[in-house]
Amino acid sequence: MGIRFYSIQDVKDEDLKIAAMVCTYKGKLVLCRHRDRDTWECPGGHREAGETIIETAERELYEETGAKKFIIKPVCAYKITVYAMLFYAEITEFSELPESEIETVDFFDELPENLTYPAIHPYLYEKAMDFINNPPEIWDAYYPDGTLAGVDLIRGQRIPAEYRHAVAEVFVIHKDGSILLMQRDFRKPNYPGFWDSGAGGSVLKGEAFEAAAKRELQEETGIIAENLIEKFRVVTHDTIYRGYVCITDVPKDSVTLQEGETIDYKWVNRDEFMKIFESDIFPVKRERWSDFVSKLDNYGC
């Protein structure tokens, strides 16, 4: 019996028929045993009419473990015969086990040998443990007008059409008028090897735009900025961008690289920058910064 995994955004919600959960309680793995079997399994079941897949997961978790309080998060989609969603649930409180086909619930340090689905559960467990040990990046969702939506977004998952995620970018100018360019790692999925004017990245959950800009600048270049100047705000179909300028007098050889993000840097004069800006800065960023770049004279470049 083969199992294939998918990113959450790669499977349509209406195609998901089953919710399965890998659950923990106080660091122990939570498994249940069916009345008609002597083997252990993860809680889960079929989606009922009118349910969202998360509602299916929450219902099945309660029905098959008695979980009363828990935090549940989607991990990935998978398919054996139909599409299913794998969730990770951290249970903090149980009620009495409701009347159902489940005989009992128990706690384990690791997966037992007598599993109901030995060709499936180890793979689900492995995926969930990787999710726990390497948690995804979480963002705040914003409405297009820039107000917080009170909803979490997870990096790599589809952003619902009504929300936007936030990105802060920093353009770095030395006090002598030269401009900092950072070369993107060739392992980056988007625009590998291209030059970038400074630093930038997603605003994390609970983080302000300017704080994110300062963090990304320090992480990607080693430059610590006390003050940033906001230059633009751009809203696209899924993102709110805010662009900042950092004017610095750091020693030019003190710039550092971030593993997996950048592989080289250079300080260039305006003429050299403009040549690179028109050819080797990726197009969507060029559009956002074009108005500012047209006014570089104002910054002594």
Side-chain angles (χ1 to χ4, degrees):
M1 183 181 295
I3 182 170
R4 185 172 181 179
F5 291 98
Y6 303 85
S7 297
I8 292 172
Q9 66 269 24
D10 290 339
V11 179
K12 294 180 180 179
D13 178 78
E14 59 265 29
D15 292 336
L16 294 165
K17 308 300 182 185
I18 292 173
M21 285 72 69
V22 171
C23 315
T24 60
Y25 174 70
K26 295 184 177 180
K28 298 281 189 177
L29 182 64
V30 181
L31 297 174
C32 51
R33 181 164 56 81
H34 194 280
R35 292 184 183 276
D36 299 329
R37 295 188 280 267
D38 59 2
T39 50
W40 296 97
E41 57 200 70
C42 295
H46 286 82
R47 185 176 184 172
E48 295 183 353
E51 283 185 331
T52 63
I53 197 65
I54 184 67
E55 288 171 342
T56 303
E58 292 171 343
R59 174 181 53 77
E60 291 286 349
L61 182 59
Y62 167 70
E63 290 177 355
E64 299 197 352
T65 70
K68 181 179 179 181
K69 294 182 180 180
F70 49 82
I71 298 172
I72 189 166
K73 299 177 181 179
V75 175
C76 64
Y78 68 94
K79 184 178 182 181
I80 301 172
T81 57
V82 298
Y83 286 110
M85 183 69 80
L86 174 64
F87 293 86
Y88 167 67
E90 182 179 1
I91 302 170
T92 56
E93 186 177 338
F94 290 90
S95 61
E96 291 293 326
L97 185 65
E99 186 67 28
S100 70
E101 72 273 13
I102 299 303
E103 176 70 28
T104 189
V105 173
D106 209 343
F107 309 97
F108 301 83
D109 290 321
E110 58 185 22
L111 282 176
E113 293 185 1
N114 56 330
L115 294 169
T116 305
Y117 305 105
I120 299 173
H121 280 127
Y123 293 103
L124 301 184
Y125 177 76
E126 182 180 0
K127 280 286 183 182
M129 291 302 102
D130 183 64
F131 178 85
I132 297 169
N133 295 325
N134 302 285
E137 192 171 282
I138 301 177
W139 308 323
D140 284 313
Y142 288 79
Y143 292 117
D145 66 1
T147 58
L148 284 166
V151 174
D152 288 348
L153 301 175
I154 298 176
R155 184 185 186 97
Q157 296 184 12
R158 182 182 61 84
I159 298 175
E162 65 269 30
Y163 301 135
R164 305 292 183 271
H165 93 291
V167 170
E169 298 177 330
V170 187
F171 193 102
V172 181
I173 301 174
H174 199 274
K175 284 189 174 180
D176 68 5
S178 58
I179 299 164
L180 178 63
L181 290 175
M182 307 293 296
Q183 189 175 22
R184 294 166 65 85
D185 196 301
F186 282 99
R187 293 170 292 178
K188 296 282 287 182
N190 298 319
Y191 303 101
F194 276 63
W195 289 94
D196 202 349
S197 52
S202 295
V203 179
L204 303 178
K205 178 178 172 62
E207 193 175 39
F209 275 85
E210 185 171 337
K214 291 179 179 179
R215 174 182 53 77
E216 289 285 346
L217 181 63
Q218 183 174 1
E219 289 176 355
E220 295 186 7
T221 71
I223 296 173
I224 298 174
E226 295 296 330
N227 297 297
L228 298 176
I229 307 167
E230 185 174 338
K231 301 308 298 183
F232 69 78
R233 300 185 185 191
V234 172
V235 181
T236 69
H237 70 286
D238 63 359
T239 305
I240 298 175
Y241 294 93
R242 290 193 190 180
Y244 298 85
V245 173
C246 169
I247 300 175
T248 182
D249 61 354
V250 298
K252 289 187 174 181
D253 60 358
S254 68
V255 175
T256 58
L257 304 176
Q258 184 181 15
E259 176 67 27
E261 294 290 335
T262 54
I263 56 173
D264 199 4
Y265 75 92
K266 58 183 177 180
W267 296 92
V268 298
N269 60 33
R270 177 176 177 169
D271 289 341
E272 186 178 355
F273 170 78
M274 291 307 300
K275 291 178 182 177
I276 294 173
F277 185 74
E278 294 299 334
S279 60
D280 293 331
I281 298 282
F282 44 94
V284 290
K285 185 160 190 179
R286 192 158 60 235
E287 292 173 9
R288 292 194 293 274
W289 284 95
S290 59
D291 182 65
F292 169 78
V293 167
S294 70
K295 302 170 184 175
L296 282 174
D297 284 342
N298 297 338
Y299 296 88
C301 298

